Amino acid sequence: LTSIWYITEHAAVVLSCVYLSVLKGIGICLLDADNYETDPHLKEIREAENYSWMDIITIHKDKLPNYEEKIKTFYEEHLHLDDEIRYILDGSGYFDVRDKDDKWIRISMEKGDMITLPAGIYHRFTLDENNYVKAMRLFVGEPVWTAYNRPADDFAARKQYMKFLAEEAQ
């Protein structure tokens, strides 16, 4: 089971546990999938969401070129104009996301976990003490790697996400 909790700005203090319903309320879906090569649920998701492109990234100092620079980039608070879909194949790490009140929520990800971060949500990623994760990255069509660091509130994806949050609050 994935661990999810509120944290301070610099991830120094765990403030409280977060329930999955809170994540669903800010547009995040988690899936516990164990066998990615033959998993019918993963196949269904890829077909239903039109995730036609995928690759595998290994984040480890011996595997990822420009490792130190990439780790800093991943941890910088940012958003994307498309959904970010990550499926953890091995290792572990943390996605931090902002809730509707702009507080950080930390999501512990480990082998078998899948997460979809909606376009326009502010987030960041960091490794845990194992300093290793291998993940499948899924995209609709050709991959777009552009991250927009905060503040990036003028993008249509951010405005659409904020509209989603407002509708969820009603």
Side-chain angles (χ1 to χ4, degrees), residues 25-37:
I26 59 172
I28 295 175
C29 303
L30 294 170
L31 173 70
D32 182 18
D34 232 357
N35 191 348
Y36 77 93
E37 293 168 331

Side-chain angles (χ1 to χ4, degrees), residues 56-137:
I56 308 293
I57 184 170
T58 302
I59 304 173
H60 183 269
K61 64 180 181 171
D62 297 333
K63 300 284 185 181
L64 185 64
N66 302 314
Y67 171 80
E68 293 295 333
E69 179 184 319
K70 294 272 173 102
I71 289 294
K72 288 177 186 173
T73 300
F74 295 155
Y75 196 67
E76 185 76 27
E77 184 177 5
H78 63 278
L79 60 77
H80 301 283
L81 304 183
D82 297 301
D83 290 353
E84 180 169 331
I85 305 96
R86 298 295 180 266
Y87 180 49
I88 307 302
L89 303 177
D90 197 17
S92 50
Y94 302 110
F95 274 100
D96 297 338
V97 298
R98 294 284 188 175
D99 76 356
K100 61 182 177 55
D101 298 317
D102 211 32
K103 296 179 193 166
W104 280 118
I105 296 174
R106 173 153 284 184
I107 304 165
S108 173
M109 300 289 295
E110 57 190 41
K111 183 178 180 178
D113 292 338
M114 177 182 262
I115 189 168
T116 301
L117 302 177
I121 189 172
Y122 284 120
H123 66 281
R124 61 190 183 191
F125 178 81
T126 191
L127 295 173
D128 62 13
E129 63 277 358
N130 295 314
N131 292 313
Y132 167 76
V133 72
K134 180 179 179 181
M136 178 186 293
R137 301 183 289 191

Side-chain angles (χ1 to χ4, degrees), residues 2-6 16-18 20 23 30 105-108:
T2 299
S3 299
I4 308 162
W5 55 93
Y6 280 105
S16 64
C17 291
V18 176
L20 285 175
L23 290 184
L30 294 170
I105 296 174
R106 173 153 284 184
I107 304 165
S108 173

